[in-house]
Amino acid sequence: MILVFRPGCSKDEVAEAEQQLRGLGFQPHTLYGVERTVIAAIGDDRVTTKEHLETFPGVERVLPILAPYKLASKEIRPETSVFEIGGAGPGCPTVKPTKSKVPIGGKKLAVIAGPCSVEGREQILEVAAAVKDAGACALRAGAFKPRTSPYQFQGLMEEGLEYLAEARERTGLPIVTEVLTPTDVHLVAKYADCLQIGTRNMQNYLLLKACGEVKTPVLLKRGMSAKLEEYLLAAEYILTSGNPNVFLCERGIRTFEEHVRNTYALTTVPALKAKTHLPVLADPSHGTGVRAYVAPMTKASVACGADGLLLEVHPDPSKALTDGQQTISVKEFAQLMKELKPLAEAVGRTI
Ligand code: PEP
Ligand code: MN
């Protein structure tokens, strides 16, 4: 159920409703919007009636939440949620806060860039400085890599996290990096400003819940064969576990097509934005898997309304240990950022 409060309702009225809802067995999630306060009451609707909830002081009306995903649904918040990565917030275990807090979901496009993997100290420091100069808002690189073959490079693990932390210290860029297992969540959250859950783990429900239990923002990538409803229900796992800072990312799906690594399903961006208030990013690197298509599909991503981008960038893509075929050079990234400026403005965004 959604309890919509009258404009100007008091804090006491909201607190009173929260307490009564808990008494009825609901889990109240209060959202303070620009104009209205609403409580999303998650629980068994059969224990009460809409009419009874409408008698609560300050409540203007009560509506059922129709979507199967409740906290992710746009029904509870019509505008896109905006939250910050970087700068350890309350309950966020990041050891050293970054200087800059970066909003995700606002007017400014969130451009998160970096190599697929942390390969070494020099490599990550070099690329961090380069993407910062070109205008990226956060550095993304994997220290724990999910690889198809056990013989392939698996990532530098904690050593990689330490290099990422050094890159953050030098550049001020917040760090986004993947976590593969529930048992690693606390370790990764100790270093990272944002936890990435990759496509292969979108339906790892124990990992989703573990990421919900920390306050570090979560970048949840779409499963390569997940339907939108399954995707939003995966986000719901994180949200109901207590972490409201979740954003999504289209990264392409598995189809019969062979001229690309993945089919970049950009329709997902406006479709998700119609269903959820969570910010929606797009990843044309994994989405295409082909370096030559990254720049044109980055532009398409901005044009169709993505709130940000995930781009794989390396000082020398031909030497990258992972995903080199879809990675652009630092020079190409800087050029692309320039070309995106007028495009972003044309769709009412800044970069
Ligand atoms: C990555 O971001 O490098 C990655 C492994 O992504 P995905 O989970 O989308 O394949
Ligand atoms: Mn990659």
Side-chain angles (χ1 to χ4, degrees):
M1 294 279 201
I2 311 172
L3 283 69
V4 183
F5 286 79
R6 276 193 288 278
C9 66
S10 74
K11 280 201 175 132
D12 287 350
E13 286 171 332
V14 176
E16 164 73 20
E18 286 171 341
Q19 201 188 341
Q20 292 221 39
L21 287 166
R22 279 196 200 96
L24 289 167
F26 286 99
Q27 210 189 353
H29 294 261
T30 306
L31 295 114
Y32 299 94
V34 186
E35 288 167 19
R36 300 281 187 142
T37 298
V38 304
I39 298 182
I42 307 299
D44 184 354
D45 290 354
R46 291 170 302 182
V47 301
T48 183
T49 60
K50 171 176 164 8
E51 288 72 23
H52 172 58
L53 299 180
E54 274 170 351
T55 65
F56 287 10
V59 172
E60 186 179 273
R61 59 188 183 310
V62 174
L63 308 158
I65 310 176
L66 298 174
Y69 38 87
K70 310 287 177 196
L71 297 177
S73 171
K74 217 176 165 71
E75 292 169 86
I76 64 159
R77 174 175 274 179
E79 70 275 8
T80 304
S81 286
V82 183
F83 53 84
E84 284 165 341
I85 59 171
C92 178
T94 300
V95 186
K96 286 191 179 143
T98 49
K99 287 185 206 87
S100 49
K101 292 186 195 174
V102 171
I104 305 286
K107 188 175 176 195
K108 188 169 166 33
L109 290 170
V111 181
I112 302 175
C116 181
S117 308
V118 184
E119 297 168 3
R121 182 172 174 272
E122 300 305 318
Q123 173 247 18
I124 201 66
L125 295 183
E126 181 182 346
V127 74
V131 297
K132 177 167 183 178
D133 283 351
C137 73
L139 174 69
R140 192 208 68 105
F144 292 88
K145 295 303 301 178
R147 305 307 306 282
T148 303
S149 163
Y151 302 117
Q152 293 170 321
F153 175 60
Q154 305 286 308
L156 295 181
M157 299 178 225
E158 191 165 2
E159 182 187 347
L161 295 175
E162 274 164 17
Y163 298 148
L164 282 169
E166 187 178 345
R168 169 179 50 209
E169 218 165 292
R170 289 191 178 210
T171 59
L173 290 177
I175 300 300
V176 181
T177 194
E178 182 159 356
V179 58
L180 292 181
T181 69
T183 44
D184 286 338
V185 168
H186 281 279
L187 171 70
V188 179
K190 210 169 88 181
Y191 292 90
D193 301 288
C194 174
L195 303 172
Q196 174 176 321
I197 299 178
T199 192
R200 293 159 187 81
N201 267 321
M202 191 211 82
Q203 285 175 309
N204 180 341
Y205 299 113
L206 294 180
L207 179 62
L208 298 172
K209 285 189 196 176
C211 288
E213 282 159 17
V214 290
K215 291 286 177 275
T216 310
V218 178
L219 161 60
L220 177 64
K221 293 185 116 186
R222 181 186 180 186
M224 63 181 91
S225 62
K227 295 183 187 179
L228 287 206
E229 188 165 304
E230 293 165 336
Y231 189 17
L232 289 166
L233 284 167
E236 191 78 7
Y237 267 92
I238 307 170
L239 298 167
T240 50
S241 305
N243 189 344
N245 304 320
V246 178
F247 58 111
L248 306 173
C249 181
E250 172 58 53
R251 52 76 69 205
I253 53 171
R254 181 61 66 88
T255 71
F256 55 82
E257 188 51 82
E258 284 178 343
H259 83 284
V260 280
R261 181 182 181 194
N262 290 298
T263 294
Y264 193 34
L266 269 189
T267 327
T268 309
V269 173
L272 283 172
K273 291 201 63 78
K275 290 176 194 300
T276 181
H277 57 91
L278 302 175
V280 180
L281 273 58
D283 172 354
S285 303
H286 293 86
T288 62
V290 180
R291 189 178 308 142
Y293 305 151
V294 170
M297 295 317 289
T298 299
K299 292 172 188 167
S301 312
V302 172
C304 76
D307 294 304
L309 298 160
L310 226 66
L311 285 163
E312 289 194 329
V313 182
H314 193 283
D316 184 353
S318 67
K319 296 213 175 80
L321 294 182
T322 56
D323 285 352
Q325 78 291 347
Q326 66 193 32
T327 299
I328 56 173
S329 67
V330 293
K331 208 170 143 206
E332 286 163 331
F333 176 66
Q335 176 62 25
L336 182 56
M337 288 296 278
K338 281 195 195 122
E339 291 172 18
L340 285 178
K341 202 166 184 286
L343 194 68
E345 277 161 18
V347 292
R349 317 289 297 233
T350 57
I351 189 160

